[in-house]
Amino acid sequence: MQTEQRWRFTPCEAGYSLTGAFVETSNFGSKFKNGRKIKDQPEMDMLYLQALCGSALADGDENYKFLWELLKEYSGYKGLLDSLDGCALPLIYLLRERVCHCLGPLKDKAVPPTLKKSETRDYIDAGLLLNSPYFSVLREERDIDLIISLDFSDGDPFMTVREAAEMCKKRKIPFPEVNIPDEDAEKPKDFYVFKGRNTPTVIHIPLFNEVNCGDKLEERRKTYKTSKDSYSAEMITELMEVAGQNITNNKGNLLKEIRLATEKKKTVNRFN
């Protein structure tokens, strides 16, 4: 299933781009007929929605690769790796089947042929796809002008924006080219702006960078890893402070780009 056919869920709207059916998120779960709401569903609790959207297990292949690499980091698990080889993948696929959403037979003529090929659909967390939900906001109808990307990747701080650019190019979705200087790969700056013709402006801010970390850049990367079991209260406080510095240090730059995007939008609307 191609990325542009995935289920979209944001604070503003929820829907499925393949069918073109979208509603305001507050109406998620309500029943509609011919574009009109016929049965109201009370707005769902945010904790429930977070659990509903956190369906990372839907992609068995990605989970298998992630868990396998994670286990390899621990030398004491060599025997476990040998014993799991050949059975870990079926186990993960079994877990995936438990979280698949069953649609049942689809016979309505209005349903796209792609949806009729299987009785189940697999939903994947946008964070697992790219570690950042670019495609949730790049739907053509949303006509996005500016994306502020706050990167929290474990590893390459430019992985998300690079892969988003590559995927958009393949699928002919407007997105600016992303060119990162070689010297920034290991020591990123704290503010990047990517622009293109007829594309949204993309601001990319690596979590750990030369400005907010100084000579502690590598130390913080190792300390705050995604696979770490738990963070102490002190670690959480420090991490929040470091992340906050990325915004306060770039307040002027952010406001400048927001104004430029706003003025560009006004100009386009004036001539249309």
Side-chain angles (χ1 to χ4, degrees), residues 122-227:
D122 293 344
Y123 296 127
I124 181 173
D125 191 314
L128 187 64
L129 175 68
L130 276 178
N131 209 33
S132 193
Y134 285 100
F135 289 98
S136 294
V137 299
L138 285 171
R139 191 165 66 89
E140 183 178 358
E141 290 80 359
R142 297 195 68 178
D143 193 21
I144 292 296
D145 301 292
L146 176 67
I147 296 175
I148 300 176
S149 166
L150 304 177
D151 188 66
F152 296 89
S153 296
D154 182 6
D156 181 1
F158 303 106
M159 180 271 290
T160 58
V161 69
R162 278 197 183 110
E163 293 195 4
E166 291 175 5
M167 293 181 76
C168 284
K169 186 176 183 179
K170 291 178 181 178
R171 290 163 173 76
K172 294 180 170 50
I173 299 173
F175 200 88
E177 287 191 20
V178 174
N179 297 307
I180 308 295
D182 292 340
E183 60 270 20
D184 289 17
E186 292 300 322
K187 295 183 177 181
K189 298 180 177 63
D190 67 338
F191 195 82
Y192 294 85
V193 181
F194 305 106
K195 298 184 179 183
R197 186 176 181 181
N198 299 321
T199 73
T201 295
V202 177
I203 294 173
H204 186 71
I205 302 178
L207 172 59
F208 300 127
N209 52 73
E210 284 192 307
V211 178
N212 66 0
C213 292
D215 58 3
K216 294 183 177 180
L217 180 57
E218 195 58 36
E219 177 187 329
R220 281 182 172 152
R221 280 177 173 169
K222 292 179 179 178
T223 301
Y224 296 99
K225 295 181 69 68
T226 302
S227 56

Side-chain angles (χ1 to χ4, degrees), residues 40-78:
D40 188 54
Q41 161 71 38
E43 190 168 354
M44 296 184 185
D45 180 83
M46 180 55 68
L47 291 177
Y48 172 80
L49 292 176
Q50 286 178 323
L52 179 69
C53 296
S55 55
L57 285 174
D59 194 318
D61 291 334
E62 289 300 317
N63 277 276
Y64 176 75
K65 288 188 290 186
F66 175 78
L67 292 174
W68 203 250
E69 292 302 317
L70 187 62
L71 284 173
K72 285 180 180 178
E73 293 182 14
Y74 302 95
S75 58
Y77 283 80
K78 180 64 173 67

Side-chain angles (χ1 to χ4, degrees), residues 14-120:
Y16 195 56
S17 59
L18 186 61
T19 63
F22 280 81
V23 297
E24 292 182 2
T25 303
S26 59
N27 288 320
F28 180 65
S30 298
K31 289 188 177 181
F32 290 78
K33 185 175 183 179
N34 297 325
R36 297 185 63 182
K37 185 163 62 174
I38 59 175
K39 185 176 180 180
D40 188 54
Q41 161 71 38
E43 190 168 354
M44 296 184 185
D45 180 83
M46 180 55 68
L47 291 177
Y48 172 80
L49 292 176
Q50 286 178 323
L52 179 69
C53 296
S55 55
L57 285 174
D59 194 318
D61 291 334
E62 289 300 317
N63 277 276
Y64 176 75
K65 288 188 290 186
F66 175 78
L67 292 174
W68 203 250
E69 292 302 317
L70 187 62
L71 284 173
K72 285 180 180 178
E73 293 182 14
Y74 302 95
S75 58
Y77 283 80
K78 180 64 173 67
L80 177 61
L81 286 174
D82 293 337
S83 63
L84 281 177
D85 194 14
C87 69
L89 185 57
L91 175 61
I92 292 172
Y93 273 108
L94 178 62
L95 290 172
R96 184 198 66 173
E97 292 301 320
R98 290 295 182 182
V99 297
C100 283
H101 179 69
C102 182
L103 295 177
L106 295 171
K107 299 180 181 179
D108 193 312
K109 292 182 179 180
V111 177
T114 304
L115 290 179
K116 299 178 182 179
K117 293 180 180 179
S118 173
E119 293 188 357
T120 61

